[in-house]
Amino acid sequence: MPSDFHLSKTVLLVDDLDILRKMVCDFLQSLGIEILEASNAAEAIHTALSHPGKIDLLLTDVEMPGMSGWESASEIAGLRPGIRIFYMSAGISLQEWNDYKEKPVGTYFIQKPFRLEELKALLMAIFSK
C-alpha cells in the first residue's frame, strides 16, 4: 500500500474509551478520512440523525455502557440505509465472530487490540467493494 494512500470517506467512530477513540481518530484523519466522533451509542445516533452529509461507515465498539454497539448499529442502519457497519471488540474473538450465526450480513469485525496498519488494510478492503 502506498504510504500516501487517502480515503475520501466519512466515518462515524464510536468508542467509550477516550484514548483509543483519539488514537484511531488521528490515524484515520491521516488517511484523509473525515471523522465524526461519539463516546457512546446515544451520541452516535444523534450524530447519524443530525449530520447533513453522507456517512460511509460506522466503526463502533460492541461493548459500551448503556446501549451496546449492536443495538446502536441496528438503529443507525435504519437511519442511514447503505451505511457499512464495522464492529470492534476486546470481548469477542475473531473466531467467535466468524462462528456467530446471527451477525448482520455485510458487517465487518476487528478484534481489539489491533494494529493501525491492520485497521487500514481492512478499511481499504471494505471501501474497495
Side-chain angles (χ1 to χ4, degrees), residues 41-103:
E43 281 181 23
I45 292 166
H46 174 76
T47 300
L49 277 167
S50 63
H51 182 69
K54 183 176 183 191
I55 302 174
D56 300 288
L57 178 80
L58 170 64
L59 177 56
T60 185
D61 189 12
V62 172
E63 298 164 342
M64 295 182 286
M67 184 184 287
S68 75
W70 301 118
E71 296 165 315
S72 62
S74 176
E75 196 163 326
I76 290 169
L79 297 170
R80 297 280 182 155
I83 192 170
R84 294 174 171 124
I85 310 293
F86 191 169
Y87 296 102
M88 52 186 171
S89 178
I92 301 169
S93 71
L94 184 56
Q95 186 62 49
E96 289 169 321
W97 171 260
N98 289 334
D99 291 345
Y100 185 56
K101 302 290 187 234
E102 297 178 34
K103 67 179 172 256

